[in-house]
C-alpha cells in the first residue's frame, strides 16, 4: 500500500444509483411526450374528467397551455406529469396539474429541482399541486405546505 495509508481513488462501487432524467416534452417532442406520458397520466386525468375531459387536457398540451414532463430512470420511462402557469388575481404560480407513475421517491427530488428552477426563471411566486391523501405524505418532504383541503358536493 505504500507509505502510510490506503488508496482512496481505487474504490469499487458495487451499486450505482440509476440515472434520473426529468424533461419537458416541448416543441417537436410534444406528440412523443403525449404518447409516452399518457399511460402514466390516465388515472389522474380520469379522476378530474368531470371538470376537464381528456380531449381538453391533450388540447392544452398541444396548444402549449400545459407542458407534459417525462421521467426516466436508467433510460426507462417510469412517470409523467403536466404543469401549467396558474394566473391568480394577485400572482402567478406553476401548477402541477396531473401526475402519475412509479418510483416517486427516486425521481421527485430531481423533478422539484427542475420545477423550482423553471418557476424562478419565469418569476413565478410558487409551485402548487392538488393531490390525494397518499400524495400528502411525500409533498412535505419536497418543501410543500398543506394550505387547505378541497371539498365537493355533487348535485
Amino acid at each position: 500500500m505504500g507509505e502510510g495509508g490506503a488508496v482512496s481513488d481505487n474504490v469499487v462501487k458495487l451499486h450505482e444509483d440509476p440515472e434520473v432524467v426529468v424533461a419537458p416534452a416541448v416543441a417537436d417532442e410534444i406528440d412523443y411526450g403525449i404518447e409516452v406520458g399518457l399511460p402514466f397520466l390516465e388515472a389522474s386525468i380520469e379522476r378530474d374528467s368531470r371538470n376537464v375531459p381528456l380531449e381538453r387536457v391533450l388540447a392544452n398540451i398541444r396548444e402549449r397551455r400545459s407542458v407534459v414532463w417525462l421521467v426516466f430512470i436508467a433510460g426507462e420511462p417510469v412517470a409523467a406529469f403536466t404543469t401549467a402557469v396558474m394566473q391568480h388575481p394577485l400572482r402567478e404560480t406553476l401548477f402541477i396539474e396531473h401526475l402519475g407513475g412509479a418510483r416517486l421517491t427516486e425521481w421527485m427530488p430531481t423533478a422539484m429541482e427542475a420545477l423550482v428552477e423553471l418557476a424562478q426563471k419565469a418569476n413565478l411566486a410558487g409551485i402548487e399541486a392538488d393531490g390525494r391523501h397518499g400524495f400528502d405524505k411525500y409533498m412535505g418532504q419536497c418543501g410543500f405546505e398543506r394550505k387547505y383541503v378541497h371539498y365537493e358536493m355533487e348535485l
Side-chain angles (χ1 to χ4, degrees):
M1 289 256 262
E3 286 185 21
V7 178
S8 64
D9 61 348
N10 189 8
V11 176
V12 175
K13 189 171 183 179
L14 298 176
H15 172 66
E16 282 198 32
D17 293 330
E19 180 185 20
V20 174
V21 174
V22 177
V26 294
D28 59 345
E29 297 175 348
I30 290 174
D31 288 332
Y32 172 75
I34 291 171
E35 178 185 334
V36 174
L38 189 57
F40 297 112
L41 299 171
E42 284 176 330
S44 174
I45 294 169
E46 176 60 31
R47 273 190 295 279
D48 194 39
S49 65
R50 70 185 187 285
N51 295 321
V52 182
L54 172 63
E55 297 77 22
R56 183 70 255 164
V57 172
L58 296 176
N60 285 345
I61 294 167
R62 288 189 175 107
E63 294 166 4
R64 295 173 170 81
R65 292 184 176 144
S66 297
V67 174
V68 63
W69 296 71
L70 301 176
V71 180
F72 298 88
I73 297 179
E76 295 296 319
V78 297
F81 58 95
T82 63
T83 59
V85 174
M86 180 70 71
Q87 297 182 346
H88 299 286
L90 298 178
R91 66 189 199 140
E92 292 183 336
T93 62
L94 187 63
F95 182 63
I96 301 171
E97 302 169 300
H98 298 285
L99 184 146
R103 301 168 70 176
L104 179 75
T105 58
E106 293 178 56
W107 60 263
M108 188 56 112
T110 303
M112 289 310 304
E113 286 176 19
L115 294 178
V116 166
E117 181 180 342
L118 173 67
Q120 288 174 335
K121 285 182 179 178
N123 293 317
L124 301 176
I127 300 173
E128 297 182 83
D130 291 334
R132 297 175 295 141
H133 292 291
F135 197 52
D136 195 38
K137 292 179 219 171
Y138 187 71
M139 295 309 285
Q141 297 172 25
C142 291
F144 283 86
E145 190 178 312
R146 180 186 253 194
K147 294 292 187 178
Y148 66 91
V149 177
H150 178 87
Y151 296 96
E152 292 185 9
M153 177 192 292
E154 296 293 329
L155 302 176

